[in-house]
Amino acid sequence: MAEQQLIAAIRAELLRHVDPKYKDGAQNYFKEGIVLHGVRTPRVRAISAEYYHEVKGRSKAGIFSLCDRLLSYGTCEERAIAFDWAYRLRKQYEPSDFKIFQRWLRDHVDNWGGVDDLCCHTFGAFIDRFPEYLPSVFKWTTAKPWHMRRAAAVILIYPVRQGKYFANVLRTSDALLRDEHYLVQKGYGWLLKEATKEFPRQVLAYVLEHKADMPRTALRYAIEKMPEAWKQRAMAK
């Protein structure tokens, strides 16, 4: 199937499954704004899987080109499919893909759902495999767009779940500790919560040391999975 025909078929399939009630709910849920058709996530995933069978024999460059076409529409559903296809190619990643993924993050993500989708899967898998790019990721902690700062934390969730790069988790949390944007606070709080699974006592020590400076939003996320006694120590003044 030709590229243009394939993209048109995917978009037509998405439009056949629009749920107006779901769309209204999603638009109310994402306070920072969201552009979507209104297709429920399980259906989007099914459409993505169905049409991936049409393209999986193509080169990685060819599939990434299709992803760029999907991303150009600026809607959540096409973006989800693009990121899903890219993640399916994770065994083929190479260092030059960093620039592609960073461009996608910078130019095609405008809400926390998009940040998390890209960074917890595609981009997180890349960083897990190529840690030499961790210094480049750390630079996002001082970026003006809030979504880049959130991405600096969330991208580490993929590797820290496997017990990797804990020093980077703490360094990133230090850099974002007093960030004023609530979605950035939730982002690094979530990262610390995920790190608790492999490094529980180290995260507790970090929280106890920094709780006076840590926004309550980040603190609550960070301690969510800790034992009750630890939570009480963390929340005590």
Side-chain angles (χ1 to χ4, degrees):
M1 190 181 296
E3 182 172 309
Q4 185 173 350
Q5 184 182 5
L6 177 66
I7 297 297
I10 292 170
R11 302 197 77 221
E13 185 69 13
L14 288 170
L15 292 175
R16 278 195 288 272
H17 293 281
V18 169
D19 182 335
K21 185 176 180 180
Y22 172 76
K23 181 177 182 178
D24 290 343
Q27 288 176 326
N28 291 331
Y29 185 68
F30 285 86
K31 297 180 177 63
E32 74 276 17
I34 187 172
V35 179
L36 76 165
H37 298 300
V39 184
R40 292 182 180 274
T41 300
R43 176 57 61 183
V44 175
R45 290 174 178 163
I47 293 171
S48 181
E50 176 186 352
Y51 282 92
Y52 186 72
H53 288 295
E54 295 281 343
V55 304
K56 66 180 181 180
R58 304 187 187 194
S59 68
K60 185 184 70 173
I63 295 175
F64 279 3
S65 175
L66 287 166
C67 292
D68 275 319
R69 286 284 301 274
L70 288 164
L71 290 167
S72 71
Y73 291 100
T75 47
C76 290
E77 291 88 351
E78 282 89 340
R79 183 182 67 203
I81 293 172
F83 292 169
D84 176 44
W85 287 5
Y87 183 61
R88 290 170 184 264
L89 295 170
R90 58 192 178 278
K91 291 183 179 179
Q92 299 181 41
Y93 290 169
E94 52 193 323
S96 59
D97 294 329
F98 180 84
K99 291 183 178 180
I100 296 173
F101 299 153
Q102 183 171 241
R103 174 172 56 80
W104 288 356
L105 176 65
R106 184 187 65 235
D107 297 343
H108 297 292
V109 171
D110 56 4
N111 60 66
W112 62 262
V115 172
D116 298 355
D117 191 12
L118 178 61
C119 291
C120 286
H121 300 97
T122 300
F123 219 162
F126 175 91
I127 287 298
D128 179 64
R129 186 171 176 183
F130 299 106
E132 60 266 32
Y133 285 91
L134 285 166
S136 297
V137 167
F138 183 75
K139 292 178 182 178
W140 303 345
T141 60
T142 59
K144 185 175 181 180
W146 68 264
H147 80 277
M148 296 294 293
R149 302 198 305 278
R150 180 180 173 100
V154 174
I155 198 171
L156 295 171
I157 288 174
Y158 188 104
V160 84
R161 283 173 173 167
Q162 302 173 65
K164 298 181 179 180
Y165 315 146
F166 183 65
N168 296 88
V169 171
L170 298 185
R171 185 182 181 214
T172 299
S173 298
D174 280 344
L176 300 175
L177 190 67
R178 299 175 183 85
D179 198 291
E180 295 182 354
H181 201 292
Y182 77 102
L183 289 172
V184 179
Q185 296 169 13
K186 289 183 177 182
Y188 85 80
W190 180 22
L191 172 62
L192 288 169
K193 177 175 67 176
E194 292 296 331
T196 301
K197 297 172 184 177
E198 294 289 334
F199 307 94
R201 295 190 177 277
Q202 296 94 319
V203 175
L204 175 64
Y206 180 86
V207 168
L208 293 176
E209 180 182 355
H210 296 286
K211 67 179 184 177
D213 297 315
M214 189 180 294
R216 241 21 186 190
T217 298
L219 179 59
R220 289 192 182 97
Y221 266 72
I223 67 175
E224 185 178 337
K225 298 297 183 180
M226 290 183 178
E228 190 60 36
W230 291 15
K231 290 181 182 180
Q232 292 178 7
R233 289 177 64 188
M235 295 300 288
K237 293 184 179 180

Short mmCIF file of all heavy atoms in Angstrom, two decimals, residues 113-171:
data_model
loop_
_atom_site.label_atom_id
_atom_site.label_comp_id
_atom_site.label_asym_id
_atom_site.label_seq_id
_atom_site.Cartn_x
_atom_site.Cartn_y
_atom_site.Cartn_z
N GLY A 113 0.40 13.53 28.51
CA GLY A 113 0.18 12.21 27.94
C GLY A 113 1.15 11.89 26.82
O GLY A 113 1.67 10.78 26.72
N GLY A 114 1.40 12.87 25.98
CA GLY A 114 2.36 12.67 24.89
C GLY A 114 3.78 12.50 25.39
O GLY A 114 4.54 11.67 24.88
N VAL A 115 4.15 13.31 26.40
CA VAL A 115 5.48 13.16 27.00
C VAL A 115 5.67 11.74 27.52
O VAL A 115 6.67 11.08 27.22
CB VAL A 115 5.66 14.16 28.17
CG1 VAL A 115 6.97 13.88 28.91
CG2 VAL A 115 5.65 15.60 27.66
N ASP A 116 4.69 11.28 28.28
CA ASP A 116 4.83 9.98 28.92
C ASP A 116 4.81 8.84 27.90
O ASP A 116 5.55 7.85 28.05
CB ASP A 116 3.71 9.78 29.94
CG ASP A 116 3.76 10.81 31.06
OD1 ASP A 116 4.71 11.61 31.10
OD2 ASP A 116 2.84 10.82 31.89
N ASP A 117 4.00 8.97 26.87
CA ASP A 117 3.92 7.93 25.85
C ASP A 117 5.26 7.78 25.13
O ASP A 117 5.78 6.66 24.96
CB ASP A 117 2.82 8.28 24.85
CG ASP A 117 2.49 7.14 23.91
OD1 ASP A 117 2.95 6.00 24.16
OD2 ASP A 117 1.78 7.37 22.91
N LEU A 118 5.84 8.89 24.73
CA LEU A 118 7.12 8.84 24.02
C LEU A 118 8.27 8.42 24.93
O LEU A 118 9.07 7.56 24.59
CB LEU A 118 7.43 10.20 23.39
CG LEU A 118 8.76 10.31 22.64
CD1 LEU A 118 8.82 9.34 21.47
CD2 LEU A 118 8.99 11.74 22.15
N CYS A 119 8.33 9.03 26.11
CA CYS A 119 9.50 8.85 26.97
C CYS A 119 9.50 7.55 27.76
O CYS A 119 10.56 7.02 28.08
CB CYS A 119 9.65 10.04 27.90
SG CYS A 119 10.09 11.56 27.04
N CYS A 120 8.33 7.03 28.09
CA CYS A 120 8.29 5.78 28.85
C CYS A 120 8.46 4.56 27.96
O CYS A 120 8.62 3.44 28.48
CB CYS A 120 6.97 5.68 29.62
SG CYS A 120 6.89 6.77 31.04
N HIS A 121 8.40 4.75 26.67
CA HIS A 121 8.53 3.62 25.76
C HIS A 121 9.67 3.88 24.77
O HIS A 121 10.81 3.51 25.04
CB HIS A 121 7.20 3.38 25.04
CG HIS A 121 6.08 3.07 25.98
ND1 HIS A 121 5.19 4.03 26.42
CD2 HIS A 121 5.71 1.93 26.58
CE1 HIS A 121 4.33 3.48 27.26
NE2 HIS A 121 4.62 2.20 27.37
N THR A 122 9.38 4.53 23.67
CA THR A 122 10.36 4.72 22.60
C THR A 122 11.65 5.37 23.08
O THR A 122 12.75 4.81 22.95
CB THR A 122 9.74 5.58 21.48
OG1 THR A 122 8.59 4.90 20.98
CG2 THR A 122 10.74 5.79 20.36
N PHE A 123 11.54 6.57 23.64
CA PHE A 123 12.74 7.31 24.01
C PHE A 123 13.41 6.69 25.23
O PHE A 123 14.64 6.69 25.35
CB PHE A 123 12.39 8.78 24.28
CG PHE A 123 13.40 9.77 23.77
CD1 PHE A 123 13.04 11.10 23.60
CD2 PHE A 123 14.69 9.39 23.46
CE1 PHE A 123 13.96 12.04 23.13
CE2 PHE A 123 15.62 10.32 22.99
CZ PHE A 123 15.26 11.64 22.83
N GLY A 124 12.62 6.16 26.15
CA GLY A 124 13.20 5.49 27.30
C GLY A 124 14.00 4.27 26.90
O GLY A 124 15.08 4.00 27.45
N ALA A 125 13.49 3.51 25.94
CA ALA A 125 14.21 2.34 25.45
C ALA A 125 15.51 2.75 24.78
O ALA A 125 16.53 2.05 24.88
CB ALA A 125 13.33 1.55 24.49
N PHE A 126 15.48 3.89 24.08
CA PHE A 126 16.70 4.39 23.45
C PHE A 126 17.76 4.71 24.50
O PHE A 126 18.92 4.30 24.39
CB PHE A 126 16.40 5.63 22.60
CG PHE A 126 17.62 6.27 22.01
CD1 PHE A 126 18.07 5.90 20.76
CD2 PHE A 126 18.34 7.22 22.72
CE1 PHE A 126 19.23 6.46 20.21
CE2 PHE A 126 19.49 7.80 22.19
CZ PHE A 126 19.93 7.41 20.93
N ILE A 127 17.37 5.46 25.54
CA ILE A 127 18.31 5.87 26.58
C ILE A 127 18.83 4.65 27.34
O ILE A 127 19.99 4.60 27.75
CB ILE A 127 17.64 6.89 27.53
CG1 ILE A 127 17.50 8.24 26.82
CG2 ILE A 127 18.42 7.04 28.82
CD1 ILE A 127 18.82 8.88 26.40
N ASP A 128 17.98 3.68 27.54
CA ASP A 128 18.41 2.45 28.20
C ASP A 128 19.55 1.80 27.43
O ASP A 128 20.49 1.26 28.02
CB ASP A 128 17.21 1.50 28.29
CG ASP A 128 17.58 0.18 28.94
OD1 ASP A 128 17.94 0.19 30.12
OD2 ASP A 128 17.50 -0.87 28.26
N ARG A 129 19.47 1.88 26.12
CA ARG A 129 20.48 1.23 25.28
C ARG A 129 21.69 2.12 25.02
O ARG A 129 22.81 1.60 24.85
CB ARG A 129 19.82 0.84 23.95
CG ARG A 129 20.70 0.04 23.02
CD ARG A 129 19.91 -0.47 21.85
NE ARG A 129 20.75 -1.17 20.89
CZ ARG A 129 20.32 -1.68 19.74
NH1 ARG A 129 19.02 -1.57 19.42
NH2 ARG A 129 21.14 -2.28 18.91
N PHE A 130 21.50 3.43 25.00
CA PHE A 130 22.59 4.35 24.69
C PHE A 130 22.73 5.40 25.81
O PHE A 130 22.39 6.57 25.64
CB PHE A 130 22.33 5.04 23.35
CG PHE A 130 22.23 4.10 22.18
CD1 PHE A 130 21.01 3.83 21.60
CD2 PHE A 130 23.36 3.48 21.68
CE1 PHE A 130 20.91 2.96 20.52
CE2 PHE A 130 23.28 2.61 20.60
CZ PHE A 130 22.04 2.34 20.02
N PRO A 131 23.27 4.99 26.96
CA PRO A 131 23.38 5.92 28.09
C PRO A 131 24.34 7.08 27.86
O PRO A 131 24.34 8.04 28.64
CB PRO A 131 23.88 5.01 29.23
CG PRO A 131 24.56 3.87 28.54
CD PRO A 131 23.75 3.64 27.29
N GLU A 132 25.11 7.02 26.80
CA GLU A 132 25.99 8.15 26.51
C GLU A 132 25.21 9.42 26.20
O GLU A 132 25.78 10.53 26.20
CB GLU A 132 26.93 7.81 25.34
CG GLU A 132 26.26 7.48 24.02
CD GLU A 132 26.04 5.98 23.81
OE1 GLU A 132 25.82 5.28 24.80
OE2 GLU A 132 26.09 5.53 22.65
N TYR A 133 23.90 9.28 25.97
CA TYR A 133 23.07 10.47 25.71
C TYR A 133 22.42 11.02 26.99
O TYR A 133 21.67 12.00 26.92
CB TYR A 133 22.00 10.14 24.67
CG TYR A 133 22.58 10.07 23.28
CD1 TYR A 133 23.05 8.86 22.77
CD2 TYR A 133 22.70 11.21 22.48
CE1 TYR A 133 23.62 8.78 21.50
CE2 TYR A 133 23.27 11.15 21.23
CZ TYR A 133 23.73 9.93 20.74
OH TYR A 133 24.30 9.88 19.49
N LEU A 134 22.71 10.43 28.13
CA LEU A 134 22.16 10.94 29.38
C LEU A 134 22.53 12.40 29.65
O LEU A 134 21.70 13.18 30.12
CB LEU A 134 22.58 10.05 30.55
CG LEU A 134 21.84 8.71 30.64
CD1 LEU A 134 22.56 7.77 31.60
CD2 LEU A 134 20.40 8.92 31.09
N PRO A 135 23.77 12.84 29.36
CA PRO A 135 24.09 14.26 29.55
C PRO A 135 23.23 15.18 28.68
O PRO A 135 22.85 16.28 29.12
CB PRO A 135 25.57 14.35 29.17
CG PRO A 135 26.10 12.98 29.43
CD PRO A 135 24.99 12.05 29.03
N SER A 136 22.90 14.75 27.48
CA SER A 136 22.04 15.55 26.61
C SER A 136 20.63 15.64 27.18
O SER A 136 19.99 16.70 27.14
CB SER A 136 22.00 14.95 25.21
OG SER A 136 23.27 14.96 24.60
N VAL A 137 20.15 14.53 27.74
CA VAL A 137 18.83 14.52 28.36
C VAL A 137 18.80 15.42 29.59
O VAL A 137 17.82 16.15 29.82
CB VAL A 137 18.44 13.07 28.74
CG1 VAL A 137 17.23 13.06 29.66
CG2 VAL A 137 18.15 12.26 27.47
N PHE A 138 19.87 15.41 30.37
CA PHE A 138 19.92 16.23 31.58
C PHE A 138 19.77 17.72 31.26
O PHE A 138 19.21 18.48 32.07
CB PHE A 138 21.21 15.98 32.35
CG PHE A 138 21.29 16.73 33.64
CD1 PHE A 138 20.56 16.31 34.75
CD2 PHE A 138 22.07 17.87 33.75
CE1 PHE A 138 20.61 17.01 35.94
CE2 PHE A 138 22.12 18.57 34.94
CZ PHE A 138 21.39 18.14 36.04
N LYS A 139 20.21 18.14 30.11
CA LYS A 139 20.09 19.54 29.73
C LYS A 139 18.64 19.99 29.65
O LYS A 139 18.35 21.18 29.78
CB LYS A 139 20.79 19.78 28.38
CG LYS A 139 22.31 19.64 28.43
CD LYS A 139 22.92 19.84 27.05
CE LYS A 139 24.44 19.66 27.10
NZ LYS A 139 25.04 19.80 25.73
N TRP A 140 17.73 19.05 29.45
CA TRP A 140 16.31 19.42 29.38
C TRP A 140 15.80 19.96 30.72
O TRP A 140 14.76 20.61 30.76
CB TRP A 140 15.46 18.22 28.98
CG TRP A 140 15.81 17.57 27.69
CD1 TRP A 140 16.60 18.07 26.68
CD2 TRP A 140 15.41 16.26 27.24
NE1 TRP A 140 16.71 17.17 25.65
CE2 TRP A 140 15.98 16.06 25.96
CE3 TRP A 140 14.61 15.27 27.80
CZ2 TRP A 140 15.78 14.89 25.24
CZ3 TRP A 140 14.41 14.10 27.08
CH2 TRP A 140 14.98 13.91 25.81
N THR A 141 16.51 19.67 31.80
CA THR A 141 16.03 20.13 33.11
C THR A 141 15.98 21.65 33.22
O THR A 141 15.30 22.19 34.09
CB THR A 141 16.91 19.59 34.26
OG1 THR A 141 18.26 20.05 34.09
CG2 THR A 141 16.87 18.06 34.29
N THR A 142 16.69 22.33 32.34
CA THR A 142 16.67 23.80 32.35
C THR A 142 15.94 24.38 31.14
O THR A 142 16.00 25.59 30.90
CB THR A 142 18.11 24.36 32.38
OG1 THR A 142 18.84 23.90 31.24
CG2 THR A 142 18.83 23.92 33.65
N ALA A 143 15.25 23.53 30.39
CA ALA A 143 14.53 24.00 29.21
C ALA A 143 13.34 24.88 29.61
O ALA A 143 12.73 24.68 30.66
CB ALA A 143 14.04 22.81 28.38
N LYS A 144 13.01 25.83 28.78
CA LYS A 144 11.87 26.70 29.07
C LYS A 144 10.53 25.96 28.98
O LYS A 144 9.69 26.12 29.86
CB LYS A 144 11.88 27.92 28.14
CG LYS A 144 10.80 28.93 28.46
CD LYS A 144 10.92 30.17 27.59
CE LYS A 144 9.83 31.18 27.95
NZ LYS A 144 9.93 32.41 27.11
N PRO A 145 10.28 25.17 27.94
CA PRO A 145 9.00 24.45 27.88
C PRO A 145 8.90 23.43 29.01
O PRO A 145 9.79 22.60 29.20
CB PRO A 145 9.05 23.75 26.51
CG PRO A 145 10.07 24.50 25.72
CD PRO A 145 11.09 24.93 26.72
N TRP A 146 7.80 23.46 29.75
CA TRP A 146 7.65 22.55 30.89
C TRP A 146 7.70 21.09 30.46
O TRP A 146 8.19 20.23 31.22
CB TRP A 146 6.33 22.83 31.62
CG TRP A 146 5.10 22.48 30.82
CD1 TRP A 146 4.35 23.32 30.05
CD2 TRP A 146 4.51 21.18 30.68
NE1 TRP A 146 3.33 22.63 29.44
CE2 TRP A 146 3.39 21.32 29.81
CE3 TRP A 146 4.79 19.93 31.22
CZ2 TRP A 146 2.58 20.22 29.47
CZ3 TRP A 146 3.98 18.84 30.87
CH2 TRP A 146 2.90 19.00 30.00
N HIS A 147 7.20 20.81 29.24
CA HIS A 147 7.14 19.40 28.85
C HIS A 147 8.52 18.80 28.64
O HIS A 147 8.72 17.59 28.82
CB HIS A 147 6.24 19.21 27.62
CG HIS A 147 6.87 19.54 26.31
ND1 HIS A 147 6.95 20.81 25.80
CD2 HIS A 147 7.45 18.73 25.39
CE1 HIS A 147 7.55 20.78 24.62
NE2 HIS A 147 7.87 19.54 24.35
N MET A 148 9.50 19.64 28.29
CA MET A 148 10.87 19.14 28.16
C MET A 148 11.45 18.82 29.54
O MET A 148 12.18 17.83 29.70
CB MET A 148 11.73 20.15 27.42
CG MET A 148 11.33 20.42 25.99
SD MET A 148 11.56 18.99 24.89
CE MET A 148 13.35 18.82 24.86
N ARG A 149 11.13 19.64 30.51
CA ARG A 149 11.62 19.39 31.88
C ARG A 149 10.99 18.11 32.45
O ARG A 149 11.66 17.33 33.11
CB ARG A 149 11.36 20.59 32.78
CG ARG A 149 11.98 21.89 32.27
CD ARG A 149 12.09 22.96 33.32
NE ARG A 149 10.86 23.29 33.99
CZ ARG A 149 9.92 24.13 33.52
NH1 ARG A 149 10.08 24.72 32.34
NH2 ARG A 149 8.82 24.38 34.22
N ARG A 150 9.70 17.93 32.21
CA ARG A 150 9.06 16.68 32.65
C ARG A 150 9.72 15.49 31.95
O ARG A 150 9.98 14.45 32.57
CB ARG A 150 7.56 16.70 32.35
CG ARG A 150 6.84 15.40 32.79
CD ARG A 150 5.36 15.46 32.48
NE ARG A 150 4.70 14.18 32.73
CZ ARG A 150 3.98 13.88 33.81
NH1 ARG A 150 3.85 14.78 34.77
NH2 ARG A 150 3.41 12.70 33.94
N ALA A 151 10.00 15.63 30.67
CA ALA A 151 10.61 14.54 29.91
C ALA A 151 11.96 14.14 30.48
O ALA A 151 12.33 12.96 30.46
CB ALA A 151 10.76 14.95 28.45
N ALA A 152 12.72 15.11 31.01
CA ALA A 152 14.03 14.81 31.59
C ALA A 152 13.92 13.80 32.71
O ALA A 152 14.83 12.98 32.93
CB ALA A 152 14.67 16.10 32.11
N ALA A 153 12.81 13.82 33.44
CA ALA A 153 12.59 12.85 34.52
C ALA A 153 11.95 11.58 34.00
O ALA A 153 12.43 10.47 34.28
CB ALA A 153 11.70 13.49 35.60
N VAL A 154 10.88 11.71 33.25
CA VAL A 154 10.08 10.55 32.85
C VAL A 154 10.88 9.60 31.96
O VAL A 154 10.67 8.37 32.01
CB VAL A 154 8.79 11.02 32.15
CG1 VAL A 154 8.01 9.84 31.59
CG2 VAL A 154 7.91 11.79 33.14
N ILE A 155 11.81 10.09 31.19
CA ILE A 155 12.58 9.23 30.29
C ILE A 155 13.44 8.23 31.06
O ILE A 155 13.79 7.17 30.54
CB ILE A 155 13.46 10.09 29.36
CG1 ILE A 155 13.92 9.28 28.15
CG2 ILE A 155 14.66 10.66 30.11
CD1 ILE A 155 14.61 10.11 27.08
N LEU A 156 13.72 8.53 32.34
CA LEU A 156 14.54 7.63 33.15
C LEU A 156 13.73 6.50 33.78
O LEU A 156 14.31 5.59 34.38
CB LEU A 156 15.24 8.44 34.25
CG LEU A 156 16.27 9.46 33.77
CD1 LEU A 156 16.74 10.33 34.93
CD2 LEU A 156 17.46 8.77 33.11
N ILE A 157 12.41 6.55 33.67
CA ILE A 157 11.59 5.51 34.28
C ILE A 157 11.86 4.15 33.64
O ILE A 157 11.96 3.13 34.33
CB ILE A 157 10.10 5.89 34.18
CG1 ILE A 157 9.80 7.04 35.16
CG2 ILE A 157 9.20 4.70 34.46
CD1 ILE A 157 8.39 7.59 35.06
N TYR A 158 11.99 4.11 32.33
CA TYR A 158 12.24 2.84 31.62
C TYR A 158 13.50 2.16 32.16
O TYR A 158 13.44 0.98 32.56
CB TYR A 158 12.33 3.12 30.13
CG TYR A 158 12.40 1.88 29.25
CD1 TYR A 158 11.28 1.47 28.52
CD2 TYR A 158 13.57 1.14 29.12
CE1 TYR A 158 11.35 0.35 27.69
CE2 TYR A 158 13.63 0.02 28.31
CZ TYR A 158 12.53 -0.37 27.59
OH TYR A 158 12.60 -1.48 26.78
N PRO A 159 14.65 2.83 32.20
CA PRO A 159 15.85 2.14 32.69
C PRO A 159 15.87 1.90 34.20
O PRO A 159 16.39 0.87 34.65
CB PRO A 159 17.00 3.05 32.26
CG PRO A 159 16.39 4.39 32.07
CD PRO A 159 14.99 4.14 31.61
N VAL A 160 15.29 2.82 34.99
CA VAL A 160 15.38 2.61 36.44
C VAL A 160 14.52 1.43 36.87
O VAL A 160 14.79 0.80 37.90
CB VAL A 160 14.99 3.90 37.21
CG1 VAL A 160 13.47 4.04 37.38
CG2 VAL A 160 15.67 3.91 38.59
N ARG A 161 13.49 1.11 36.12
CA ARG A 161 12.71 -0.09 36.43
C ARG A 161 13.55 -1.35 36.31
O ARG A 161 13.19 -2.40 36.88
CB ARG A 161 11.51 -0.18 35.48
CG ARG A 161 10.37 0.77 35.82
CD ARG A 161 9.29 0.76 34.76
NE ARG A 161 8.12 1.54 35.16
CZ ARG A 161 7.14 1.90 34.33
NH1 ARG A 161 7.19 1.52 33.04
NH2 ARG A 161 6.11 2.59 34.77
N GLN A 162 14.66 -1.25 35.60
CA GLN A 162 15.57 -2.38 35.44
C GLN A 162 16.81 -2.20 36.31
O GLN A 162 17.81 -2.90 36.13
CB GLN A 162 15.96 -2.52 33.97
CG GLN A 162 14.76 -2.72 33.05
CD GLN A 162 15.14 -2.68 31.59
OE1 GLN A 162 15.87 -3.56 31.12
NE2 GLN A 162 14.65 -1.70 30.86
N GLY A 163 16.74 -1.26 37.24
CA GLY A 163 17.83 -1.05 38.18
C GLY A 163 19.00 -0.25 37.63
O GLY A 163 20.10 -0.29 38.20
N LYS A 164 18.77 0.51 36.58
CA LYS A 164 19.85 1.25 35.93
C LYS A 164 19.78 2.75 36.20
O LYS A 164 18.68 3.30 36.38
CB LYS A 164 19.81 1.03 34.42
CG LYS A 164 20.01 -0.40 33.97
CD LYS A 164 19.97 -0.48 32.44
CE LYS A 164 20.18 -1.89 31.93
NZ LYS A 164 20.12 -1.94 30.45
N TYR A 165 20.95 3.37 36.21
CA TYR A 165 21.11 4.82 36.16
C TYR A 165 20.48 5.54 37.36
O TYR A 165 19.95 6.64 37.23
CB TYR A 165 20.56 5.40 34.84
CG TYR A 165 20.95 4.63 33.61
CD1 TYR A 165 20.10 4.52 32.52
CD2 TYR A 165 22.19 3.98 33.53
CE1 TYR A 165 20.46 3.80 31.40
CE2 TYR A 165 22.56 3.26 32.41
CZ TYR A 165 21.69 3.17 31.35
OH TYR A 165 22.04 2.44 30.23
N PHE A 166 20.57 4.92 38.54
CA PHE A 166 19.97 5.54 39.71
C PHE A 166 20.64 6.87 40.05
O PHE A 166 19.98 7.80 40.52
CB PHE A 166 20.05 4.60 40.92
CG PHE A 166 19.38 5.15 42.14
CD1 PHE A 166 18.02 5.37 42.18
CD2 PHE A 166 20.14 5.46 43.27
CE1 PHE A 166 17.40 5.89 43.31
CE2 PHE A 166 19.53 5.97 44.41
CZ PHE A 166 18.16 6.18 44.44
N ALA A 167 21.93 6.98 39.82
CA ALA A 167 22.61 8.25 40.08
C ALA A 167 22.01 9.37 39.24
O ALA A 167 21.89 10.52 39.70
CB ALA A 167 24.11 8.12 39.78
N ASN A 168 21.60 9.04 38.02
CA ASN A 168 20.96 10.04 37.15
C ASN A 168 19.58 10.40 37.66
O ASN A 168 19.13 11.54 37.49
CB ASN A 168 20.88 9.51 35.73
CG ASN A 168 22.24 9.29 35.11
OD1 ASN A 168 22.81 8.21 35.26
ND2 ASN A 168 22.78 10.29 34.46
N VAL A 169 18.90 9.45 38.28
CA VAL A 169 17.59 9.73 38.88
C VAL A 169 17.73 10.80 39.95
O VAL A 169 16.97 11.78 39.99
CB VAL A 169 16.98 8.45 39.48
CG1 VAL A 169 15.73 8.77 40.30
CG2 VAL A 169 16.63 7.46 38.38
N LEU A 170 18.72 10.64 40.82
CA LEU A 170 18.92 11.61 41.89
C LEU A 170 19.39 12.96 41.36
O LEU A 170 18.94 14.02 41.82
CB LEU A 170 19.93 11.06 42.90
CG LEU A 170 19.53 9.77 43.62
CD1 LEU A 170 20.57 9.41 44.68
CD2 LEU A 170 18.16 9.89 44.26
N ARG A 171 20.26 12.92 40.39
CA ARG A 171 20.76 14.18 39.82
C ARG A 171 19.63 14.95 39.15
O ARG A 171 19.51 16.18 39.31
CB ARG A 171 21.87 13.88 38.80
CG ARG A 171 22.54 15.13 38.24
CD ARG A 171 23.59 14.77 37.21
NE ARG A 171 24.23 15.97 36.69
CZ ARG A 171 24.67 16.12 35.45
NH1 ARG A 171 24.49 15.13 34.57
NH2 ARG A 171 25.24 17.24 35.05
#
